[in-house]
Amino acid sequence: MSNTIGHSLLHQTLLHPTVLEQQTKINSCNISGNSFFLPKSTANQAKSQIRKSPLSTKFRSNNVKTTKLPMGTQGPVSVVPRAVLASEPTSEQLAGRFNLDGNSDLQVRVSFPDAGSISQVDLQVTNSSNSLVLHWGAICDRHEKWILPSRYPDGTRVYKDRALRTPFVKTGSNSFLNIEIDDPAILAIEFLILDEAQNKWFKNNGDNFHVKLPVKHRLNLNVSVPEDLVQVQAYLRWERKGKQMYTPEQEKVEYEAARAELLEEITRGTSIEDLRAKLLNKNDKNQIQKPPISETISKIPDDLVQTQAYIRWEAAGKPNYSPDEQLREFEEARKELQIELEKGASLDEIRHKITKGEMKTKATPKKKNIVERIQRKKRDLMQLINKYVAGSETGQEKISVKPKSLTVVELYSETKKEEDVGSILSKKIVNLSGMELLVLVTKPDGKTRIILATDFREPLILHWALSKTGGDWLEPPSTILPDGSVSLDKAAETKFGQISFGDPPCQVQSLEIEIEGEDFVGMPFVLLSNGNWIKNKGSDFYVDFSTKPKQFRKDAGEGKGTAKDLLEKIAGLESEAQKSFMHRFNIAADLIEEAKDFGELGLAGILVWMRFMATRQLIWNKNYNVKPREISKAQDRLTDLLQNIYKSHPQYRELLRMILSTVGRGGEGDVGQRIRDEILVIQRNNDCKGGMMEEWHQKLHNNTSPDDVVICQALIDYIKSDFDISVYWKTLNENGITKERLLSYDRAIHSEPSFRRDQKDGLLRDLGNYMRTLKAVHSGADLESAISNCMGYKAEGQGFMVGVNINPVSGLPSGFPELLQYVLTHVEDKNVEGLLEGLLEAREDLQPLLSQSNDRLKDLLFLDIALDSTVRTVIERGYEELNDAGPEKIMYFIILVLENLALSWDNNEDLIYCLKGWNHALNMLKSKDDFWALYAKSVLDRTRLALATKAESYQRVLQPSAEYLGSLLGVDQWALNIFTEEIIRAGSAASLSSLLNRLDPVLRKTANLGSWQIISPVEAVGYVAVVDELLTVQNKSYERPTILIAKSVKGEEEIPDGTVAVLTPDMPDVLSHVSVRARNSKVCFATCFDPNILVDLQAKEGKRLHLKTTSADIVYREVKDGEVEVAGPIVVKEESSMPRLTLVRKQFAGRYAISSDEFTSELVGAKSRNISYLKGKVPSWVGIPTSVALPFGVFEKVLSEDCNQAVAEKLDTLKKKLKAGDSSTLGEIRKTVLELLPPSQLVEELRNKMISSGMPWPGDENEQRWEQAWTAIKKVWASKWNERAYFSTRKVKLDHDYLCMAVLVQEIINADYAFVIHTTNPSSGDSSEIYAEVVKGLGETLVGAYPGRALSFICKKTDLTSPKVLGYPSKPIGLFIRRSIIFRSDSNGEDLEGYAGAGLYDSVPMDEEEKVVLDYSSDPLIIDGSFQQSILSSIAKAGHAIEELYGSPQDIEGVVRDGKIYVVQTRPQM
């Protein structure tokens, strides 16, 4: 960066001066407020002026400053302040900070505005209770007893005439109290704090808290203080207050407060010499160091010295100078200027060279003396959790927006669209003082038809013309004039006619105009009513014919899953919005409240619209000139409204952040207008007023856009490349700007840039400054601009950033400016790890502020968005750093990116637990734990699931709106197809996915996992077919042996007929329903972890492959035509060869309920009988839950009751439809079953059996509890007709009518863990080892379609105390429930030989389970080795004991509660 104007350079630093100069504004002299030195001749005048703190004198990244001297001093004082005044009557002073109890702190501040006023003591207790009382008194002498001041806060009571007791005021988590002291005799106050609710006293290390009050003497106004001492004292005050950013008004107050402090010292008898010694820490009180420069050099104006010092500082790499180095730099700058004088240059010539950026310096880059790595604070990750979920899942009442009833004009519009009016070019409804005007343009048979309609009551005349160039008025040809029209000079007039339409009938005034050919591009018009002209906000109305017809794509559906009314309104307003960004942003602002009322889908619609705009799918500017400041103002209005919703509706914050990132910030300080003004400065400064620069200037004046940021960067890159024009085009094209786009602007850019070499430095300087202005308006995610807006900046010079004064955001954390400076300093670093830490530390510091009320919240949001965006770009730059990195570094990068996502996403609980899991995995790696890779693989799988879930959420919320609105607006289909994908790719989720893919093979290799997990090891030959979801083809029958490559397998699907293998990247549990089905059907089933293998298999779609499996791998090869391959049993079977299983119809045995000792094969299924058999036979440490049952035939008996006759008749009708092949009736059948009423005898018998068996009877609580139980029983019966079970029975020719359902009733054990055991390893067939899977909570997540894997282990039957963990859990959700009852399906078709019917039917708990996001990093089963060994061994021992009891392999389900094993069911392992 070169130097523009010497007087305006020092305005942007984030660092601090050593000795602060005095700033003055003196009307009688032309002295810059930003100069380093104050000429001696003005020193006396300065004494009488208001002194400004030099804190506004700044420049980017450092300060190079020295003192300005009062009259009579021989030169700059080259000393550094070392001491703080002992007596400090400041405007506000932190008197002390004390820890009271754990995380509760006491802060005491003492303040008073000026001499003679009331002293104030402010006390704040953080994280406090609401029952704190201040027990206090005043001190006139340190050794005297307390006195009671006459002035005290409201609510104070006198305690035993010896003390006062004043209650604190509780606000949020903190308590506050303000005490005012007006008695000058009081020197201090003393106090204790009492928590009255707990009768707990807080003391200061066993003593009273003692707060000394400032001494307030009458100041001697006849005494003056040297200005250099006032400067030093002001600087010391600034340091003590944390080096804050001050407004000009604050600077004045601070400077005068410093003077008052020194006067106070003088009135106490301190001499000027003593003050100087105390402040400057010098033994010789009278010695002032003389400047080591000659009188000749001192004649050089100070503003030139300061500018040359700035040039030296930039050339040296903007280092952080020590105080001595700063003064030395000034002397060196002065010497360089003296050399120029001695060469014969005049001061004016030197000034001209500096202004043009031609002044050279011998300064060389200094090795940066900066922090190379920040120290990250230790934080509790749990504090980052937010559970805001848009929609009904929040538990909040979902906002229901009733569709607004259509107005008469809207009804007419719908009526016309239903007619054959041709393709619709545009539709717009304009508000006319409470009335509406419809303008509908269609394209029937090569003609252009304009339909106008209004509910205006008075007679109306259309005064109109046609246009060939846009906006001009041409008289319409007489051949197209509607009947009754009158031709005028360059116009025509046509009366509206009354039209009646609809049922009931409605009336509008309407007319239609039809134009042949393509000669005209538009129609300008105004309206006339009773002699009054009606215009469009003072301008003519204009109908544009050039808009392309909207192609309404059938695949967009009918707007289901969208805020349809809002999207259609947006589409209707698009012709107005495309005029300019001002129009678009104002329309969006008008719609934002309505979008908020629609909830998540409404804001999704706004996001989709704004993203179409940002990705240039919509027109940015059309036939409309707009001033940049008007665009900026519209942006400000829209972003202010978005900020307000962000505050009031936290469940939508993620969507709102995304909208903000597409809009841009807008600007304060008339930043928009500066776009227009500063391009002229560039042209004037650098003599480049023609060619491309003039064309760009015209575009900027006409309608600035985000393209201008790219154009500016392209110019800078072009100049830096030594005027290589290919670099200019490369930058443009990489950012989506082609030559055609440049030509498409209303003010087209035809020319390429062409500059002289002598313009290079000036252009780079000025374009660099201009870029900041452009980004302030257009680039919400630009880091430097966002930081500047939050930290504040100011300029008082000429040219760029004129008149800008952005104050810093208040309440920023301590050290935050330095942290942001660290980020800016390192933002281009090649090694990015330290930078990522800095970016995330800054985001962490910001988080509390984003949830608080702040009038500058918008600036904080844009800063957070910019930091987030920078993380993504930085991590992508850091991939090269990871090429040769080990797993430890890759895992640390994953942790950083995951933290960034957690700070950006709503409902981030799962991400936080993933983050904790990665931290645990990294610690395991560092401690050389043998299982670190296996554990890390489970965390990696869970993290992938979290990313997939988020992608599905975006797809559900955004994609329907994108497709529907895109269809209305004519957006290219390719842009709609990838809309959601591009949203995801734009964030750091894509970076995280890339890092996971990089680490996955490392973990698999380290943990010896290979590329496959073999669930069903069967050799197979078949033809490859690729499907998205196994669920969508589960009922299909393939005609030839088929190898399915299924992207999604949830766990509850059926294997389609004809399938010989299912290969998937998904991770169903080894013991899930589909896994058991595959093994029973002898179908190869495996998970593929290697994406490259999966891609290769998908590429072989339609080809014939031979799969050969081992217990840990699959080898495959292509089978050529004519080659004979035999592999395992063929699954495709002829109809006649399919086994036909028979069922025996069960009859009602006369009892509605039976106890477990009554269970027989005639009354209940194998599930109930097995659990009854186990009682008393398993070891005593294995618990068996108490059970009763509703036996076979009860459902049929209930259905036959008179009270259920209507239900029975309805079911008969539906079952006939089902037999006829209408499977859509299955759902209706299930709903009908739920209409059954319970016979009173059933209720009584079930109650007696449950109570006599020691089980709680739900009806004893209340009638509602029994209704819940009855509904659960009916759901079990209804599951006979679920789709999966029905089609499964059809495959094996089971007579569905003969299938009977008993209901096993058990008390639910509120499990810590649930497990499933196969006593023969199902993957290997090894009968010598037990295989088991364990989940946290209830077992439904294990046997149901819940994503993720369970903890899996094997255990040799010869060594049941040594379980071996095969995989750690990755399931994000656990199910937990209160004490309750579960009703389990127990049909006569579940355990037939050759048919595994188990798991087809539903088990229903009486109460709904609670879904809990799981934190495995604190789960003892994962982190406590001895606990893990104990639990897993107990599970294995229970399985082995039950297998020995039955004498055959068993499939066992059970739970763990407080370390005890319970078995809830067992059946033969299939």
Side-chain angles (χ1 to χ4, degrees), residues 999-1041:
L999 181 63
D1000 195 356
V1002 177
L1003 297 181
R1004 284 190 279 109
K1005 181 178 180 181
T1006 306
N1008 298 312
L1009 293 177
S1011 299
W1012 296 89
Q1013 179 175 25
I1014 311 302
I1015 298 171
S1016 177
V1018 178
E1019 191 174 354
V1021 176
Y1023 293 88
V1024 175
V1026 179
V1027 298
D1028 284 332
E1029 297 179 351
L1030 182 61
L1031 183 66
T1032 61
V1033 296
Q1034 66 174 348
N1035 298 321
K1036 184 175 180 179
S1037 292
Y1038 289 96
E1039 295 180 355
R1040 59 182 184 177

Side-chain angles (χ1 to χ4, degrees), residues 1416-1430:
Y1416 293 114
S1417 67
S1418 59
D1419 185 350
L1421 191 64
I1422 307 302
I1423 65 174
D1424 185 336
S1426 60
F1427 180 82
Q1428 180 188 93
Q1429 191 270 342
S1430 171

Side-chain angles (χ1 to χ4, degrees), residues 662-681:
T662 66
V663 172
R665 181 188 174 281
E668 297 180 16
D670 207 18
V671 66
Q673 182 59 27
R674 293 204 312 273
I675 289 178
R676 215 172 190 192
D677 297 341
E678 291 175 9
I679 187 64
L680 297 171
V681 175

Side-chain angles (χ1 to χ4, degrees), residues 6-7 32 35-37 300-308 351:
H7 287 207
S32 164
S35 54
F36 274 77
F37 291 89
I300 299 173
D302 295 334
D303 66 319
L304 292 186
V305 177
Q306 75 178 50
T307 304
Q308 185 64 11
R351 189 181 302 279

Side-chain angles (χ1 to χ4, degrees), residues 376-424:
R376 294 211 63 186
K377 300 169 189 168
K378 289 186 178 180
R379 301 178 190 272
D380 179 4
L381 291 176
M382 301 298 287
Q383 298 300 314
L384 296 181
I385 290 178
N386 77 65
K387 298 183 181 181
Y388 296 127
V389 184
S392 59
E393 297 166 357
T394 58
Q396 300 174 3
E397 183 179 350
K398 188 173 181 180
I399 297 172
S400 175
V401 180
K402 295 180 180 179
K404 295 180 180 178
S405 57
L406 297 179
T407 64
V408 173
V409 171
E410 288 170 337
L411 285 170
Y412 184 74
S413 170
E414 295 302 309
T415 301
K416 298 304 291 185
K417 284 200 289 187
E418 289 172 6
E419 298 175 6
D420 186 15
V421 295
S423 301
I424 296 176

